[in-house]
């Protein structure tokens, strides 16, 4: 077996996942498996040495097949980067409940299942790292974000529980909380948001939210390499921190959430949206 660590990055066809794959491929210390539905979008990574896998994180057979393949070819996953996800936004009242369930299937249950499948191998080796990409939305909130924000708040707590459970087996769990990062995230978000709440009682708030999203993505957002570098730093650390926050607004938002009362933070968010 090679001395390189084997890493599996989900959601590597775009944004943060792709940037992380590029960084770890350039590092040279890793065998990099990349997973996403749009396997053709990972051809560039394959040409640099990555091993792409077509995988919808919500389809159990695909998830099992991916883990089996990595076990056969590389002896199992040493580092799992749970990054695949998207933001379902829209008023709570307007969002079809099956869409809300699907949001949880992708952002929580999918990665939960994948994690279950890699843990036995990590326990056997008495080593492993699981990096969960949450969001500053795992700590803060905004109107129209309820279903997405709920998945990220859930993932924060889930990750904390997991960290305590697996520590005795030599496995680290690291949470990475991105701020605003310039990826396909907003493109995937805005169309469905307008469809769900653009013409309802929440229409004016929706217009404001969409404009704020576009503005912050186009003008302010950090490049995805900021998160890739953060992940690389965590992987290189002898004892990684439990949490890393990085990217535009991350520090400010988390600071304000910690020190402002709920009502004061609500007012800040309304002002930020305007
Ligand atoms: N961008 C930000 O500002 C920001 C901020 C905080 C947190 N985050 C988090 O960062 C992570 C990455 O997002 P990003 O910004 O890089 O967005 P992105 O550019 O839209 O990339 C999302 C990735 O997730 C994959 N994905 C989505 N649904 C999937 C499914 N059902 N099965 C498998 N893969 C799926 C996509 O691949 P396919 O479509 O090819 O399947 C894509 O590779 C997400 O968890 C997101 O919540 C992003």
């Amino acid at each position: 077996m090679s001395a390189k660590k084997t890493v599996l990055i989900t959601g590597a066809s775009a944004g943060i996942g792709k940037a992380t794959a590029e960084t770890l491929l350039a590092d040279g210390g890793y065998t990099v498996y990349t997973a996403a539905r749009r396997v053709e979008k990972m051809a560039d990574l394959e040409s640099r040495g990555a091993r792409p896998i077509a995988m919808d994180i919500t389809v159990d057979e695909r998830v099992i097949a991916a883990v089996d393949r990595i076990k056969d070819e590389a002896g199992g996953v040493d580092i799992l980067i749970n990054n695949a996800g998207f933001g379902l936004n829209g008023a709570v009242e307007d969002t079809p409940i099956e869409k809300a369930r699907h949001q949880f299937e992708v952002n929580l249950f999918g990665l939960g299942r994948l994690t279950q499948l890699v843990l036995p191998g990590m326990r056997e080796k008495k080593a492993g790292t699981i990096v969960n990409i949450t969001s500053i939305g795992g700590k803060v909130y905004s109107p129209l974000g309820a279903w997405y924000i709920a998945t990220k708040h859930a993932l924060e707590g889930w990750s904390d529980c997991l960290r305590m459970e697996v520590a005795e087996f030599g496995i680290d769990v690291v949470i990475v909380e991105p701020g605003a990062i310039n990826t396909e995230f907003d493109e995937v978000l805005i169309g469905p948001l307008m469809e769900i709440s653009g013409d309802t009682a929440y229409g004016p708030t929706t217009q404001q939210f969409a404009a704020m999203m576009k503005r912050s993505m186009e003008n302010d957002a950090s490049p995805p390499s900021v998160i890739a570098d953060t992940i690389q730093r965590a992987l290189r650390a002898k004892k990684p921190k439990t949490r890393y926050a990085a990217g535009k607004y991350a520090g400010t938002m988390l600071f304000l959430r910690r020190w402002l009362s709920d009502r004061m933070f609500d007012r800040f968010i309304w002002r930020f949206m305007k």
Side-chain angles (χ1 to χ4, degrees):
M1 238 12 99
S2 103
K4 286 186 176 187
K5 294 248 170 87
T6 299
V7 56
L8 169 60
I9 308 168
T10 67
S13 61
I16 292 170
K18 179 171 282 220
T20 304
E22 287 166 354
T23 298
L24 298 187
L25 284 166
D27 179 294
Y30 305 93
T31 300
V32 180
Y33 284 86
T34 57
R37 291 167 302 179
R38 294 170 299 168
V39 73
E40 72 285 357
K41 294 262 183 191
M42 299 185 285
D44 55 334
L45 297 174
E46 187 171 23
S47 69
R48 290 188 232 175
R51 302 179 185 186
I53 301 176
M55 184 184 86
D56 184 326
I57 195 90
T58 67
V59 178
D60 207 42
E61 308 85 77
R62 300 305 311 163
V63 177
I64 292 169
V67 174
D68 284 349
R69 177 179 154 191
I70 299 171
K71 199 170 178 190
D72 289 348
E73 291 180 4
V77 175
D78 299 311
I79 299 163
L80 171 62
I81 302 180
N82 281 318
N83 164 74
F86 75 102
L88 173 67
N89 284 255
V92 168
E93 184 183 336
D94 298 334
T95 306
I97 206 69
E98 64 278 8
K99 282 195 193 290
R101 284 209 173 92
H102 181 66
Q103 172 77 131
F104 269 85
E105 289 295 338
V106 176
N107 286 12
L108 189 68
F109 292 109
L111 72 84
R113 178 66 179 132
L114 179 56
T115 303
Q116 286 181 332
L117 292 168
V118 305
L119 278 173
M122 288 183 175
R123 273 196 301 101
E124 221 168 272
K125 291 183 191 168
K126 293 189 172 25
T129 305
I130 296 168
V131 179
N132 290 336
I133 309 301
T134 63
S135 170
I136 52 165
K139 296 269 181 58
V140 305
Y141 53 84
S142 71
L144 307 182
W147 297 109
Y148 173 65
I149 295 281
T151 66
K152 295 300 186 179
H153 274 62
L155 184 54
E156 290 266 336
W158 188 90
S159 304
D160 285 327
C161 295
L162 182 66
R163 182 181 67 248
M164 294 188 70
E165 275 175 30
V166 299
E168 66 171 301
F169 304 110
I171 302 167
D172 286 318
V173 177
V174 176
I175 294 169
V176 175
E177 299 163 330
I181 310 296
N182 193 0
T183 65
E184 293 180 6
F185 187 80
D186 57 321
E187 289 164 39
V188 175
L189 183 157
I190 287 178
L193 163 70
M194 298 311 290
E195 220 169 88
I196 291 170
S197 285
D199 293 324
T200 71
Y202 303 90
T205 306
T206 303
Q207 304 291 343
Q208 233 179 52
F209 182 90
M212 177 272 292
M213 196 65 168
K214 273 196 180 145
R215 210 170 46 237
S216 55
M217 281 298 180
E218 281 164 16
N219 304 331
D220 299 336
S222 306
S225 58
V226 166
I227 304 301
D229 292 345
T230 302
I231 293 171
Q232 187 184 38
R233 207 166 65 244
L235 296 181
R236 283 179 174 171
K238 210 164 184 185
K239 191 169 166 50
K241 295 199 292 183
T242 56
R243 278 180 167 72
Y244 294 80
K248 188 74 183 178
Y249 306 132
T252 318
M253 286 284 184
L254 295 177
F255 177 83
L256 292 174
R257 180 67 190 115
R258 171 171 289 198
W259 296 108
L260 296 183
S261 70
D262 291 348
R263 297 282 182 209
M264 284 163 78
F265 191 78
D266 291 0
R267 281 200 290 280
F268 164 74
I269 290 292
W270 281 119
R271 210 165 298 155
F272 185 76
M273 277 177 53
K274 281 177 190 139

